[in-house]
Amino acid sequence: GVENLIIGPYGNFLVKETTNPKVFIATGTGVAPFYSMIKKSLEIGVNTTLVFGSSLISDDIAYPFFKEFLTFV
């Protein structure tokens, strides 16, 4: 079968201000560090995707902070 190896994070935990599309993956309170990175990326017009896991959006503590710039796919 196919195996995936996930390691990290290592190094600097920041996003470079480039026009490259960004993809952020988080769940629970692990999404907190991404808030400012996602906000800045969207402000400068970068295509930005957040993959976030939650059982119910109504119970999610991060939703109120991200709802201003979310679109659901």
Side-chain angles (χ1 to χ4, degrees), residues 21-25 38 41-42 46-52 73:
K22 309 286 189 259
V23 177
F24 300 95
I25 302 171
I38 291 170
S41 294
L42 293 172
V46 174
N47 183 356
T48 304
T49 301
L50 169 63
V51 179
F52 181 75
V73 182

Side-chain angles (χ1 to χ4, degrees), residues 27-54:
T27 189
T29 57
V31 75
F34 296 116
Y35 177 80
S36 61
M37 293 183 232
I38 291 170
K39 187 172 181 177
K40 181 64 175 182
S41 294
L42 293 172
E43 285 173 358
I44 63 174
V46 174
N47 183 356
T48 304
T49 301
L50 169 63
V51 179
F52 181 75
S54 179

